[in-house]
Amino acid sequence: DTGVSQDPRHKITKRGQNVTFRCDPISEHNRLYWYRQTLGQGPEFLTYFQNEAQLEKSRLLSDRFSAERPKGSFSTLEIQRTEQGDSAMYLCASTGEPRGYNEQFFGPGTRLTVL
Amino acid sequence: SQKIEQNSEALNIQEGKTATLTCNYTNYSPAYLQWYRQDPGRGPVFLLLIRENEKEKRKERLKVTFDTTLKQSLFHITASQPADSATYLCALGNYGQNFVFGPGTRLSVLP
């Protein structure tokens, strides 16, 4: 257990539905990252926050994806009008003191299946 | 565009041997390189970080080298054990920027 939690762990939805995932980082960490990972691939960067500010967003990220971190603690990732191509593992990671910003602590992921 | 390659999709070795995994990159100048371990259905777990001005780093049975001229990192697991079987990911980073991951190498250590 890294101290980063994600909810839900699994989500099955029908195409066209909206889904929302939650990530609770390690409490001292002020940076939070979202990644998407498909089978046989490494995690693909989606976006990251420093405190409540969203500092970077992947150019590959569709407008259907939005993320928030309203109080600089937990974060949510919403996917609107899901498509079958959105099926993947969605990973959250956090960094910060005391270990610094170069070591990411990952959550267990949310596996999304779009039917 | 940035590209990261890891030597092979899968690597099988015999228990007790040294496993060597490679990570090659192009169109990138990372300040540091990381290695992670990922077990099926779980998030990656950080193992080691090596900075651009470091040639080698060790941690117990793990050794990482970093050659910025060749744009390559080697990751070694000595005296490998079946419990070392997992997917190993390399990731490149620069200060203040996001991380870029390779596709991973699935290592199987056979008893």
Side-chain angles (χ1 to χ4, degrees):
Chain A
D1 183 2
T2 62
V4 179
S5 61
Q6 292 187 244
D7 184 69
R9 294 291 309 276
H10 302 274
K11 178 71 177 178
I12 299 174
T13 192
K14 292 183 179 178
R15 188 177 52 170
Q17 298 294 305
N18 298 345
V19 294
T20 300
F21 309 141
R22 177 180 170 124
C23 171
D24 286 88
I26 293 172
S27 57
E28 301 90 347
H29 288 179
N30 58 359
R31 277 196 200 159
L32 186 150
Y33 299 77
W34 283 100
Y35 293 89
R36 175 172 60 194
Q37 186 176 28
T38 53
L39 200 61
Q41 298 299 313
E44 174 191 21
F45 170 77
L46 295 178
T47 188
Y48 93 91
F49 292 83
Q50 172 121 347
N51 300 313
E52 64 274 10
Q54 187 173 17
L55 294 190
E56 190 173 345
K57 196 171 169 182
S58 169
R59 285 168 292 182
L60 302 174
L61 202 60
S62 157
D63 289 345
R64 297 183 296 104
F65 287 70
S66 62
E68 292 183 340
R69 195 181 182 198
K71 297 181 181 178
S73 55
F74 73 91
S75 175
T76 57
L77 177 69
E78 181 183 17
I79 308 174
Q80 296 182 326
R81 304 181 303 282
T82 52
E83 301 172 356
Q84 288 185 325
D86 297 331
S87 295
M89 174 78 89
Y90 289 84
L91 293 163
C92 169
S94 69
T95 66
E97 299 304 330
R99 300 291 289 268
Y101 294 101
N102 300 330
E103 178 178 343
Q104 296 182 90
F105 291 80
F106 280 85
T110 295
R111 180 164 295 287
L112 173 66
T113 302
V114 182
L115 302 175
Chain B
S1 62
Q2 300 165 354
K3 188 173 180 181
I4 304 175
E5 293 179 331
Q6 294 193 236
N7 56 326
S8 58
E9 196 173 306
L11 181 65
N12 297 327
I13 64 163
Q14 211 65 37
E15 181 177 7
K17 301 291 186 185
T18 296
T20 298
L21 285 65
T22 62
C23 175
N24 295 291
Y25 58 92
T26 56
N27 297 324
Y28 200 85
S29 296
Y32 53 86
L33 187 147
Q34 305 169 321
W35 284 89
Y36 287 79
R37 169 184 173 139
Q38 187 173 26
D39 291 288
R42 311 190 83 163
V45 175
F46 173 83
L47 296 175
L48 278 171
L49 177 149
I50 186 165
R51 300 182 195 280
E52 60 180 335
N53 59 349
E54 297 175 317
K55 295 292 184 190
E56 182 179 299
K57 208 79 166 286
R58 290 176 186 260
K59 180 182 175 182
E60 297 171 354
R61 294 184 297 110
L62 308 180
K63 184 178 88 170
V64 174
T65 63
F66 192 13
D67 188 326
T68 55
T69 302
L70 291 178
K71 295 186 181 294
Q72 180 183 76
S73 173
L74 299 179
F75 177 78
H76 306 272
I77 306 175
T78 58
S80 59
Q81 305 164 1
D84 295 325
S85 298
T87 294
Y88 291 86
L89 301 158
C90 68
L92 308 182
N94 265 310
Y95 302 108
Q97 298 181 17
N98 70 72
F99 299 86
V100 181
F101 280 83
T105 295
R106 190 171 65 252
L107 174 68
S108 295
V109 181
L110 308 172

